[in-house]
Amino acid sequence: MARAEAPVRRRRRVPWAVYLALLPLFAVLGVFAYYPAGSGIWHSLYDWRPGFESSWVGLDNYVAMWHDDLWWRSFRNLGYIFVFQVTVAWALPLLAAELIISLRSERAQFLFRTLLIAPMAFPGVVTVLLWSAMYDPNSGVINRFLQSIGLDPLAHNWTGDPRTALLALLFIGFPFVAGLPFLIFLAALQGIPKEVFEAASLDGANRLRRFWSVDLPLMTSQVKLLVFLATIGVLQYGFAAYLLTGGGPDNATQVPVLRMLGVAFQGSQWGYAATLSTMLFLMTIVLSIIVVVVKRGDKTDVKSL
């Protein structure tokens, strides 16, 4: 019997109008994204003084960056922030996702999921300013609560003490449920077939054993994505620190973004600030490429199964 020939796949030709329609998008990206990035890299090679003649300095700004102790110390704070985000700040969202997926009623799952993510509708600046009022050493809720239960010695200036300032910033947004990690954890758990959970139950696995042996291994791809997104996000961290502490006290909350802003707007060293910005930009690009490569590898592994 003659073997039937496989149908020939024809490549669909994309109408030229589609490419033409993309031109305005790339024009906007060029003006507001690519040009500022390229301009920053170019001006990092100058003693840049906006509005005045700027002299060429070559790699002098990068040499100065290499010897900038405060710049490199700010990355130590980023390390603390990263560790906190991928441990403490993920624990409660993951717990909340596990509890919601355990509810048998889909209506109850929808209700609790909506209530937990509703705070995402509030602007970030509102959240930061609210926590700033809570940390107030005189009228803040936290100190008043400690005083009301007889723990007066623990009440102090949370954001004004170098020993607690960074920790106070990290706890902004507690219990951290209203955010991207919760949504990704929940979506990953909802994507696991119910038969898998039932099989684990029949094998006698309790909730903790099921989490380590079933849930977590099946969420590996999502965890990798969150780790890389957290890394990229940490490099851009600075919003809350700028509003609450400005990098103080005694540089206890100093991060690279604040160092860059301080060099530019307080020191008027615009060329050096462009150098620091360029370094952060290159770090972000490298990490973004790693994310793409890792995610592509995950897809290849899934197809090979």
Side-chain angles (χ1 to χ4, degrees):
M1 185 176 178
R3 185 178 180 182
E5 294 184 0
V8 179
R9 279 190 173 184
R10 294 184 178 180
R11 294 184 60 184
R12 293 183 57 187
R13 297 185 59 185
V14 180
W16 62 269
V18 175
Y19 295 104
L20 187 62
L22 289 173
L23 288 180
L25 174 62
F26 281 104
V28 172
L29 285 174
V31 173
F32 295 102
Y34 301 138
Y35 173 75
S39 176
I41 295 174
W42 176 254
H43 285 105
S44 69
L45 303 174
Y46 283 83
D47 180 16
W48 184 28
R49 294 183 296 169
F52 300 92
E53 184 177 354
S54 303
S55 58
W56 170 271
V57 297
L59 298 177
D60 288 355
N61 286 329
Y62 290 91
V63 174
M65 179 192 67
W66 183 257
H67 295 92
D68 189 341
D69 292 337
L70 185 55
W71 167 254
W72 296 114
R73 275 198 302 165
S74 67
F75 280 93
R76 181 183 61 184
N77 289 337
L78 281 192
Y80 295 144
I81 295 170
F82 175 78
V83 171
F84 184 89
Q85 287 191 352
V86 300
T87 54
V88 178
W90 282 6
L92 290 176
L94 181 56
L95 176 61
E98 287 281 356
L99 293 176
I100 286 181
I101 203 67
S102 300
L103 297 175
R104 295 184 178 181
S105 171
E106 293 185 0
R107 181 175 298 180
Q109 288 188 17
F110 173 80
L111 175 62
F112 285 106
R113 180 175 68 245
T114 303
L115 291 175
L116 289 175
I117 66 175
M120 293 180 66
F122 296 103
V125 65
V126 174
T127 302
V128 173
L129 293 178
L130 177 61
W131 277 83
S132 176
M134 294 171 60
Y135 285 137
D136 188 275
N138 300 316
S139 59
V141 174
I142 297 177
N143 280 349
R144 285 180 174 247
F145 173 74
L146 292 174
Q147 292 166 358
S148 67
I149 60 176
L151 296 177
D152 299 58
L154 297 180
H156 66 290
N157 190 353
W158 298 97
T159 57
D161 186 345
R163 296 170 299 177
T164 60
L166 184 59
L167 190 61
L169 290 181
L170 294 177
F171 268 94
I172 290 178
F174 181 85
F176 317 114
V177 176
L180 184 62
F182 169 72
L183 294 176
I184 291 182
F185 285 139
L186 183 60
L189 291 172
Q190 289 177 332
I192 300 176
K194 294 182 179 179
E195 292 79 6
V196 176
F197 294 148
E198 294 174 356
S201 178
L202 292 175
D203 288 341
N206 56 27
R207 293 301 305 273
L208 186 60
R209 175 70 180 276
R210 195 197 77 182
F211 170 76
W212 287 109
S213 302
V214 178
D215 298 5
L216 195 57
L218 293 178
M219 291 193 297
T220 302
S221 179
Q222 288 79 6
V223 171
K224 287 181 181 179
L225 173 62
L226 282 173
V227 168
F228 285 118
L229 290 179
T231 306
I232 295 173
V234 163
L235 286 175
Q236 302 170 353
Y237 180 87
F239 173 71
Y242 177 77
L243 288 179
L244 262 66
T245 64
D250 194 24
N251 295 314
T253 59
Q254 186 69 253
V255 290
V257 169
L258 291 186
R259 175 59 178 160
M260 178 187 67
L261 294 176
V263 166
F265 291 99
Q266 297 176 9
S268 298
Q269 297 175 294
W270 298 96
Y272 185 46
T275 301
L276 302 184
S277 175
T278 299
M279 182 57 60
L280 286 179
F281 171 73
L282 293 177
M283 289 181 179
T284 304
I285 289 296
V286 170
L287 291 172
S288 300
I289 294 174
I290 292 175
V291 170
V292 173
V293 171
V294 170
K295 294 302 293 180
R296 183 177 297 176
D298 289 343
K299 293 180 180 179
T300 302
D301 292 341
V302 170
K303 290 180 180 179
S304 63
L305 294 177

